[in-house]
Amino acid sequence: AELVVERLHQDIILPARKKGYAQIWLIGISLGGYGSMLYARRHASDIDGLFLMAPFLGNRTLLAEIAKVGLSDWQVDEVASSDYDRQLWSWIKGYSSKDQSARPVLYIAYGTEDRFAGSNRTLAKVLPQNQVMTTDGGHDWLPWLRLWIEFLDRKTLPQCI
């Protein structure tokens, strides 16, 4: 995970900023959504937004622990340096606070029958409703294509998209 974050930073984000790109968004599907979130956790100020489609968000045991009480009420204890899932969710928990200025804007989209829909709903509950999109379908290209088109058609998105 550390290598992915470092390569993305050194090989993609920093060169894009040097070329003058005013806004940088990360878009990830499934495990790519997980990687995008790991990057955002470490380098939040380097990106402007995230659009995640059906992101994988960690192991089921942790997700059940969080879903049981809700993200806002979930208590984060000390987190081991090797526990990337718990580190990630402790950062994601910040989206449940009123002040999200330290985090890039986050859009999440998923199929209602997607195998990750449960964890996606847990995250979606703390986001503004206009930043959550769903469609019929599972973890597959057709729902992702519909969600991508819906995202691009939104009038509230920045001009860079």
Side-chain angles (χ1 to χ4, degrees), residues 19-30:
K19 288 182 179 180
Y21 285 89
Q23 290 203 17
I24 297 176
W25 282 62
L26 296 181
I27 298 168
I29 300 173
S30 193

Side-chain angles (χ1 to χ4, degrees), residues 19-100:
K19 288 182 179 180
Y21 285 89
Q23 290 203 17
I24 297 176
W25 282 62
L26 296 181
I27 298 168
I29 300 173
S30 193
L31 196 53
Y34 185 79
S36 296
M37 292 288 276
L38 288 175
Y39 183 87
R41 183 183 77 79
R42 289 277 309 278
H43 300 282
S45 64
D46 290 340
I47 59 171
D48 299 284
L50 296 157
F51 178 59
L52 310 178
M53 287 187 283
F56 168 79
L57 294 172
N59 73 65
R60 290 180 182 181
T61 304
L62 174 60
L63 297 170
E65 174 188 323
I66 296 167
K68 186 176 182 179
V69 295
L71 184 56
S72 300
D73 294 327
W74 177 59
Q75 296 300 310
V76 183
D77 296 325
E78 193 166 325
V79 180
S81 62
S82 61
D83 191 345
Y84 298 112
D85 294 350
R86 195 169 292 272
Q87 288 176 16
L88 183 60
W89 276 96
S90 65
W91 181 79
I92 291 171
K93 181 180 167 84
Y95 279 100
S96 66
S97 74
K98 294 202 185 300
D99 180 18
Q100 297 180 15

